Amino acid sequence: MTDPAINVSHVSKQFGETQVLRDISMQVEAGKVSCLIGPSGSGKSTLLRCMAFLEQATSGSIHIEGEPLGFTDGPQRRRQSPAELRRVRSRIGMVFQQFNLWPHMTALGNVAIALRKVRGMSRSDAEDRAMAQLDKVGLKERAHHYPAQLSGGQQQRVAIARALALDPTIMLFDEPTSALDPELTGEVLNVMRQLASEGMTMVVVTHEIGFAASVGNRIAFLDGGRLLFHDTPQAVFAAPREPRLEQFLDTYLDRGASMLK
Amino acid sequence: MSFDFAVILAKLPQILSGLGVTILIWVGGTFAAVVLGFVVATLRRFGGRGIEVILRAPIEILRGTPFLVQIFLLYFGGPYIGLRLDPWLAGLLGISIYGAAYYAEIFRAGFQSVPVGHVEAAECAGLSRNQIITAILLPEMALLVLPPALNMSVILLKETALLSLITVPELTMTVQAIGSQQYAFVESLVILALVYWALVELANWLGRYAERNLSKLSA
Ligand SMILES: Nc1ncnc2c1ncn2[C@@H]1O[C@H](COP(=O)(O)OP(=O)(O)OP(=O)(O)O)[C@@H](O)[C@H]1O
Ligand SMILES: [Mg+2]
């Protein structure tokens, strides 16, 4: 049996006194899309950030395609060397709610810089590749614009292109459309749909229940730092026996989810 | 009583030489202050807790005392510890150190105002720590600190006038000397004010030019 793309095992996370994640275990199989939903403050971002080692789990472990992330396996939990961490993390692409493009570089520069500095590609090779990637998200025409000259939706698509250019096998999204005007969410969700249909392994924190229901292979529901469900959309939405989930869905119900009901 | 600027302008070569000294100390001092301030801010940011504690006190002292007192201490107090400096060297050093303390603060604030997410995105893209500093943090910070950095340089220009008190042959000292020789004290002050103002306007104009060119990079 092959290793799952992501294997989260008994992960807990504390910020000082606050327990944010409580003994979370979940697997994401290669090529599948898991959507993380749950009320504000339930720990969705923290869990996702742990999967990219932007936060360190207080206990438990995370494996990416069978390899430990951040800490070495074995009886003593030791930090990986920066080079080892970069190697394992190179399979992961991360997309943030706030885009986090670098404002002093054009869209093309944002996508190309890691190709040059991390992959050691020549400038022209890197830019060719970056241009192809921008083309894929429909932004070839905007390649020489700076982030401040792009709409939110365009910026987020550049951010997706930037992550994809490095050939990740896993893409993590933290509320990728929450900072966008409603009319701009569609263009970003379409890029993500396309990506999912090409077989990318994805974990998506989202409040877009419709997207979760239609694109997600699995829905993970977090509440108070606990993973209450990680199941198919049908199982989660069609029969929300769990009162917390029912309550949550009542607040967020939109067309996509109600269709499944 | 009538104003007579002609007697002062007759000494134009001397005035220009004073102006030259002022500009040299201003530009040289600002440059040294930026470099030194940058090194200090970088050490404080990335050098660990010990360095941060050691550097904090001198910066607070430099920012908490008048520049006049500092150059007097350097020029008149220096010899007591075997530091005997030419006036112009003491002046240059004084401006550099005084300015460095402020630039260190400007750069510290600059480092802090680069959003954490921009660094996280760079980590996720696989950039090493040094690459993140040189390719992301520093250029982004440069944009943010440009206005306060230029402003500080204008303040340093005006502080150079105090160097006349330790006999640096800069603009203020030169023009005032001419003024008292020629019994045209007020005229000399008016001319001084005009020349400094022109220099400040020039600096501001350069600053606006730079900002206009960089404005497309910020929202
Ligand atoms: N760096 C931090 N330091 C201290 N507490 C934190 C930190 N980051 C998050 N928290 C806390 O952890 C809890 C979970 O936060 P998290 O951002 O993971 O929630 P979330 O489910 O993503 O919420 P939202 O839907 O609002 O984005 C919150 O109570 C938050 O205040
Ligand atoms: Mg969140």
Side-chain angles (χ1 to χ4, degrees), chain B residues 185-208:
Chain B
F185 187 61
V186 177
E187 288 88 333
S188 74
L189 291 176
V190 171
I191 288 188
L192 269 182
L194 287 176
V195 176
Y196 279 112
W197 184 53
L199 283 178
V200 169
E201 279 305 310
L202 176 73
N204 285 339
W205 181 83
L206 284 172
R208 277 196 297 274

PDB file of all heavy atoms in Angstrom, chain B residues 185-208:
ATOM      1  N   PHE B 185      25.517  91.159   9.686  1.00  0.00           N
ATOM      2  CA  PHE B 185      25.174  89.949  10.416  1.00  0.00           C
ATOM      3  C   PHE B 185      23.808  89.387   9.999  1.00  0.00           C
ATOM      4  O   PHE B 185      23.674  88.197   9.691  1.00  0.00           O
ATOM      5  CB  PHE B 185      25.172  90.280  11.912  1.00  0.00           C
ATOM      6  CG  PHE B 185      25.000  89.059  12.767  1.00  0.00           C
ATOM      7  CD1 PHE B 185      25.936  88.020  12.712  1.00  0.00           C
ATOM      8  CD2 PHE B 185      23.922  88.939  13.622  1.00  0.00           C
ATOM      9  CE1 PHE B 185      25.782  86.890  13.499  1.00  0.00           C
ATOM     10  CE2 PHE B 185      23.757  87.805  14.400  1.00  0.00           C
ATOM     11  CZ  PHE B 185      24.697  86.790  14.338  1.00  0.00           C
ATOM     12  N   VAL B 186      22.799  90.265   9.969  1.00  0.00           N
ATOM     13  CA  VAL B 186      21.458  89.799   9.618  1.00  0.00           C
ATOM     14  C   VAL B 186      21.406  89.292   8.184  1.00  0.00           C
ATOM     15  O   VAL B 186      20.807  88.253   7.885  1.00  0.00           O
ATOM     16  CB  VAL B 186      20.415  90.913   9.842  1.00  0.00           C
ATOM     17  CG1 VAL B 186      19.030  90.460   9.401  1.00  0.00           C
ATOM     18  CG2 VAL B 186      20.387  91.319  11.303  1.00  0.00           C
ATOM     19  N   GLU B 187      22.084  90.031   7.292  1.00  0.00           N
ATOM     20  CA  GLU B 187      22.109  89.594   5.894  1.00  0.00           C
ATOM     21  C   GLU B 187      22.691  88.182   5.795  1.00  0.00           C
ATOM     22  O   GLU B 187      22.208  87.335   5.036  1.00  0.00           O
ATOM     23  CB  GLU B 187      22.955  90.544   5.030  1.00  0.00           C
ATOM     24  CG  GLU B 187      22.328  91.881   4.773  1.00  0.00           C
ATOM     25  CD  GLU B 187      22.638  92.912   5.850  1.00  0.00           C
ATOM     26  OE1 GLU B 187      22.893  92.516   7.012  1.00  0.00           O
ATOM     27  OE2 GLU B 187      22.615  94.112   5.544  1.00  0.00           O
ATOM     28  N   SER B 188      23.741  87.919   6.570  1.00  0.00           N
ATOM     29  CA  SER B 188      24.360  86.593   6.495  1.00  0.00           C
ATOM     30  C   SER B 188      23.371  85.518   6.951  1.00  0.00           C
ATOM     31  O   SER B 188      23.316  84.431   6.366  1.00  0.00           O
ATOM     32  CB  SER B 188      25.641  86.548   7.332  1.00  0.00           C
ATOM     33  OG  SER B 188      25.331  86.512   8.718  1.00  0.00           O
ATOM     34  N   LEU B 189      22.569  85.840   7.953  1.00  0.00           N
ATOM     35  CA  LEU B 189      21.581  84.856   8.426  1.00  0.00           C
ATOM     36  C   LEU B 189      20.524  84.580   7.363  1.00  0.00           C
ATOM     37  O   LEU B 189      20.104  83.445   7.148  1.00  0.00           O
ATOM     38  CB  LEU B 189      20.918  85.346   9.716  1.00  0.00           C
ATOM     39  CG  LEU B 189      21.838  85.368  10.940  1.00  0.00           C
ATOM     40  CD1 LEU B 189      21.113  85.967  12.137  1.00  0.00           C
ATOM     41  CD2 LEU B 189      22.335  83.972  11.276  1.00  0.00           C
ATOM     42  N   VAL B 190      20.100  85.671   6.692  1.00  0.00           N
ATOM     43  CA  VAL B 190      19.097  85.491   5.639  1.00  0.00           C
ATOM     44  C   VAL B 190      19.647  84.598   4.535  1.00  0.00           C
ATOM     45  O   VAL B 190      18.987  83.665   4.052  1.00  0.00           O
ATOM     46  CB  VAL B 190      18.662  86.860   5.068  1.00  0.00           C
ATOM     47  CG1 VAL B 190      17.798  86.664   3.831  1.00  0.00           C
ATOM     48  CG2 VAL B 190      17.915  87.656   6.134  1.00  0.00           C
ATOM     49  N   ILE B 191      20.886  84.877   4.154  1.00  0.00           N
ATOM     50  CA  ILE B 191      21.485  84.064   3.096  1.00  0.00           C
ATOM     51  C   ILE B 191      21.615  82.605   3.531  1.00  0.00           C
ATOM     52  O   ILE B 191      21.292  81.668   2.783  1.00  0.00           O
ATOM     53  CB  ILE B 191      22.853  84.650   2.691  1.00  0.00           C
ATOM     54  CG1 ILE B 191      22.590  85.946   1.920  1.00  0.00           C
ATOM     55  CG2 ILE B 191      23.653  83.636   1.862  1.00  0.00           C
ATOM     56  CD1 ILE B 191      23.782  86.553   1.281  1.00  0.00           C
ATOM     57  N   LEU B 192      22.034  82.403   4.778  1.00  0.00           N
ATOM     58  CA  LEU B 192      22.137  81.036   5.297  1.00  0.00           C
ATOM     59  C   LEU B 192      20.797  80.309   5.199  1.00  0.00           C
ATOM     60  O   LEU B 192      20.710  79.176   4.715  1.00  0.00           O
ATOM     61  CB  LEU B 192      22.551  81.073   6.770  1.00  0.00           C
ATOM     62  CG  LEU B 192      24.043  81.035   7.064  1.00  0.00           C
ATOM     63  CD1 LEU B 192      24.270  81.035   8.566  1.00  0.00           C
ATOM     64  CD2 LEU B 192      24.672  79.805   6.423  1.00  0.00           C
ATOM     65  N   ALA B 193      19.767  80.993   5.678  1.00  0.00           N
ATOM     66  CA  ALA B 193      18.440  80.368   5.661  1.00  0.00           C
ATOM     67  C   ALA B 193      18.054  79.965   4.245  1.00  0.00           C
ATOM     68  O   ALA B 193      17.580  78.850   4.000  1.00  0.00           O
ATOM     69  CB  ALA B 193      17.407  81.323   6.244  1.00  0.00           C
ATOM     70  N   LEU B 194      18.305  80.890   3.283  1.00  0.00           N
ATOM     71  CA  LEU B 194      17.926  80.607   1.898  1.00  0.00           C
ATOM     72  C   LEU B 194      18.690  79.415   1.335  1.00  0.00           C
ATOM     73  O   LEU B 194      18.120  78.557   0.654  1.00  0.00           O
ATOM     74  CB  LEU B 194      18.157  81.849   1.027  1.00  0.00           C
ATOM     75  CG  LEU B 194      17.150  82.980   1.248  1.00  0.00           C
ATOM     76  CD1 LEU B 194      17.537  84.207   0.400  1.00  0.00           C
ATOM     77  CD2 LEU B 194      15.734  82.519   0.888  1.00  0.00           C
ATOM     78  N   VAL B 195      19.993  79.355   1.622  1.00  0.00           N
ATOM     79  CA  VAL B 195      20.783  78.262   1.051  1.00  0.00           C
ATOM     80  C   VAL B 195      20.364  76.916   1.644  1.00  0.00           C
ATOM     81  O   VAL B 195      20.168  75.922   0.923  1.00  0.00           O
ATOM     82  CB  VAL B 195      22.291  78.500   1.267  1.00  0.00           C
ATOM     83  CG1 VAL B 195      23.088  77.302   0.750  1.00  0.00           C
ATOM     84  CG2 VAL B 195      22.738  79.771   0.549  1.00  0.00           C
ATOM     85  N   TYR B 196      20.187  76.869   2.968  1.00  0.00           N
ATOM     86  CA  TYR B 196      19.748  75.593   3.572  1.00  0.00           C
ATOM     87  C   TYR B 196      18.394  75.178   3.025  1.00  0.00           C
ATOM     88  O   TYR B 196      18.145  74.008   2.716  1.00  0.00           O
ATOM     89  CB  TYR B 196      19.670  75.719   5.101  1.00  0.00           C
ATOM     90  CG  TYR B 196      21.017  75.564   5.778  1.00  0.00           C
ATOM     91  CD1 TYR B 196      21.620  76.635   6.420  1.00  0.00           C
ATOM     92  CD2 TYR B 196      21.687  74.341   5.751  1.00  0.00           C
ATOM     93  CE1 TYR B 196      22.856  76.500   7.028  1.00  0.00           C
ATOM     94  CE2 TYR B 196      22.925  74.203   6.356  1.00  0.00           C
ATOM     95  CZ  TYR B 196      23.507  75.276   6.996  1.00  0.00           C
ATOM     96  OH  TYR B 196      24.713  75.138   7.582  1.00  0.00           O
ATOM     97  N   TRP B 197      17.524  76.162   2.895  1.00  0.00           N
ATOM     98  CA  TRP B 197      16.189  75.854   2.399  1.00  0.00           C
ATOM     99  C   TRP B 197      16.250  75.287   0.986  1.00  0.00           C
ATOM    100  O   TRP B 197      15.566  74.322   0.649  1.00  0.00           O
ATOM    101  CB  TRP B 197      15.314  77.115   2.454  1.00  0.00           C
ATOM    102  CG  TRP B 197      13.902  76.868   2.051  1.00  0.00           C
ATOM    103  CD1 TRP B 197      13.053  75.933   2.553  1.00  0.00           C
ATOM    104  CD2 TRP B 197      13.174  77.573   1.043  1.00  0.00           C
ATOM    105  NE1 TRP B 197      11.836  76.007   1.936  1.00  0.00           N
ATOM    106  CE2 TRP B 197      11.884  77.006   0.998  1.00  0.00           C
ATOM    107  CE3 TRP B 197      13.479  78.631   0.177  1.00  0.00           C
ATOM    108  CZ2 TRP B 197      10.905  77.458   0.120  1.00  0.00           C
ATOM    109  CZ3 TRP B 197      12.501  79.073  -0.690  1.00  0.00           C
ATOM    110  CH2 TRP B 197      11.228  78.489  -0.718  1.00  0.00           C
ATOM    111  N   ALA B 198      17.118  75.893   0.165  1.00  0.00           N
ATOM    112  CA  ALA B 198      17.273  75.395  -1.207  1.00  0.00           C
ATOM    113  C   ALA B 198      17.771  73.946  -1.200  1.00  0.00           C
ATOM    114  O   ALA B 198      17.282  73.103  -1.961  1.00  0.00           O
ATOM    115  CB  ALA B 198      18.246  76.281  -1.986  1.00  0.00           C
ATOM    116  N   LEU B 199      18.721  73.664  -0.322  1.00  0.00           N
ATOM    117  CA  LEU B 199      19.232  72.289  -0.243  1.00  0.00           C
ATOM    118  C   LEU B 199      18.130  71.315   0.187  1.00  0.00           C
ATOM    119  O   LEU B 199      17.994  70.219  -0.360  1.00  0.00           O
ATOM    120  CB  LEU B 199      20.396  72.206   0.746  1.00  0.00           C
ATOM    121  CG  LEU B 199      21.745  72.729   0.262  1.00  0.00           C
ATOM    122  CD1 LEU B 199      22.779  72.627   1.380  1.00  0.00           C
ATOM    123  CD2 LEU B 199      22.216  71.944  -0.958  1.00  0.00           C
ATOM    124  N   VAL B 200      17.336  71.712   1.171  1.00  0.00           N
ATOM    125  CA  VAL B 200      16.257  70.843   1.656  1.00  0.00           C
ATOM    126  C   VAL B 200      15.243  70.599   0.548  1.00  0.00           C
ATOM    127  O   VAL B 200      14.794  69.472   0.321  1.00  0.00           O
ATOM    128  CB  VAL B 200      15.575  71.472   2.897  1.00  0.00           C
ATOM    129  CG1 VAL B 200      14.292  70.717   3.235  1.00  0.00           C
ATOM    130  CG2 VAL B 200      16.522  71.447   4.086  1.00  0.00           C
ATOM    131  N   GLU B 201      14.917  71.675  -0.193  1.00  0.00           N
ATOM    132  CA  GLU B 201      13.976  71.514  -1.306  1.00  0.00           C
ATOM    133  C   GLU B 201      14.514  70.548  -2.350  1.00  0.00           C
ATOM    134  O   GLU B 201      13.792  69.718  -2.890  1.00  0.00           O
ATOM    135  CB  GLU B 201      13.668  72.872  -1.952  1.00  0.00           C
ATOM    136  CG  GLU B 201      12.628  73.668  -1.189  1.00  0.00           C
ATOM    137  CD  GLU B 201      11.335  72.898  -0.964  1.00  0.00           C
ATOM    138  OE1 GLU B 201      10.786  72.333  -1.926  1.00  0.00           O
ATOM    139  OE2 GLU B 201      10.887  72.827   0.204  1.00  0.00           O
ATOM    140  N   LEU B 202      15.825  70.674  -2.610  1.00  0.00           N
ATOM    141  CA  LEU B 202      16.462  69.767  -3.574  1.00  0.00           C
ATOM    142  C   LEU B 202      16.319  68.315  -3.106  1.00  0.00           C
ATOM    143  O   LEU B 202      15.952  67.430  -3.879  1.00  0.00           O
ATOM    144  CB  LEU B 202      17.936  70.154  -3.743  1.00  0.00           C
ATOM    145  CG  LEU B 202      18.742  69.222  -4.649  1.00  0.00           C
ATOM    146  CD1 LEU B 202      18.352  69.448  -6.101  1.00  0.00           C
ATOM    147  CD2 LEU B 202      20.245  69.441  -4.470  1.00  0.00           C
ATOM    148  N   ALA B 203      16.611  68.115  -1.818  1.00  0.00           N
ATOM    149  CA  ALA B 203      16.510  66.748  -1.271  1.00  0.00           C
ATOM    150  C   ALA B 203      15.070  66.242  -1.363  1.00  0.00           C
ATOM    151  O   ALA B 203      14.825  65.100  -1.764  1.00  0.00           O
ATOM    152  CB  ALA B 203      16.986  66.717   0.176  1.00  0.00           C
ATOM    153  N   ASN B 204      14.122  67.089  -1.027  1.00  0.00           N
ATOM    154  CA  ASN B 204      12.715  66.686  -1.089  1.00  0.00           C
ATOM    155  C   ASN B 204      12.291  66.365  -2.520  1.00  0.00           C
ATOM    156  O   ASN B 204      11.530  65.438  -2.766  1.00  0.00           O
ATOM    157  CB  ASN B 204      11.813  67.783  -0.527  1.00  0.00           C
ATOM    158  CG  ASN B 204      11.884  67.838   0.983  1.00  0.00           C
ATOM    159  OD1 ASN B 204      12.262  66.866   1.617  1.00  0.00           O
ATOM    160  ND2 ASN B 204      11.556  68.987   1.544  1.00  0.00           N
ATOM    161  N   TRP B 205      12.819  67.153  -3.444  1.00  0.00           N
ATOM    162  CA  TRP B 205      12.468  66.924  -4.843  1.00  0.00           C
ATOM    163  C   TRP B 205      12.996  65.561  -5.304  1.00  0.00           C
ATOM    164  O   TRP B 205      12.292  64.791  -5.948  1.00  0.00           O
ATOM    165  CB  TRP B 205      13.057  68.060  -5.690  1.00  0.00           C
ATOM    166  CG  TRP B 205      12.728  67.917  -7.144  1.00  0.00           C
ATOM    167  CD1 TRP B 205      11.579  68.314  -7.756  1.00  0.00           C
ATOM    168  CD2 TRP B 205      13.560  67.327  -8.153  1.00  0.00           C
ATOM    169  NE1 TRP B 205      11.637  67.984  -9.077  1.00  0.00           N
ATOM    170  CE2 TRP B 205      12.833  67.389  -9.361  1.00  0.00           C
ATOM    171  CE3 TRP B 205      14.831  66.759  -8.144  1.00  0.00           C
ATOM    172  CZ2 TRP B 205      13.356  66.890 -10.544  1.00  0.00           C
ATOM    173  CZ3 TRP B 205      15.343  66.263  -9.322  1.00  0.00           C
ATOM    174  CH2 TRP B 205      14.607  66.338 -10.510  1.00  0.00           C
ATOM    175  N   LEU B 206      14.254  65.253  -4.904  1.00  0.00           N
ATOM    176  CA  LEU B 206      14.811  63.939  -5.236  1.00  0.00           C
ATOM    177  C   LEU B 206      13.967  62.835  -4.614  1.00  0.00           C
ATOM    178  O   LEU B 206      13.697  61.805  -5.232  1.00  0.00           O
ATOM    179  CB  LEU B 206      16.249  63.830  -4.723  1.00  0.00           C
ATOM    180  CG  LEU B 206      17.312  64.575  -5.528  1.00  0.00           C
ATOM    181  CD1 LEU B 206      18.657  64.530  -4.794  1.00  0.00           C
ATOM    182  CD2 LEU B 206      17.448  63.960  -6.910  1.00  0.00           C
ATOM    183  N   GLY B 207      13.533  63.084  -3.385  1.00  0.00           N
ATOM    184  CA  GLY B 207      12.719  62.090  -2.691  1.00  0.00           C
ATOM    185  C   GLY B 207      11.397  61.851  -3.399  1.00  0.00           C
ATOM    186  O   GLY B 207      10.989  60.709  -3.602  1.00  0.00           O
ATOM    187  N   ARG B 208      10.755  62.935  -3.825  1.00  0.00           N
ATOM    188  CA  ARG B 208       9.469  62.782  -4.516  1.00  0.00           C
ATOM    189  C   ARG B 208       9.653  62.048  -5.837  1.00  0.00           C
ATOM    190  O   ARG B 208       8.846  61.209  -6.215  1.00  0.00           O
ATOM    191  CB  ARG B 208       8.834  64.155  -4.755  1.00  0.00           C
ATOM    192  CG  ARG B 208       8.060  64.692  -3.554  1.00  0.00           C
ATOM    193  CD  ARG B 208       7.154  65.836  -3.956  1.00  0.00           C
ATOM    194  NE  ARG B 208       7.900  66.971  -4.467  1.00  0.00           N
ATOM    195  CZ  ARG B 208       8.423  67.923  -3.692  1.00  0.00           C
ATOM    196  NH1 ARG B 208       8.279  67.871  -2.387  1.00  0.00           N
ATOM    197  NH2 ARG B 208       9.093  68.927  -4.223  1.00  0.00           N
TER     198      ARG B 208
END
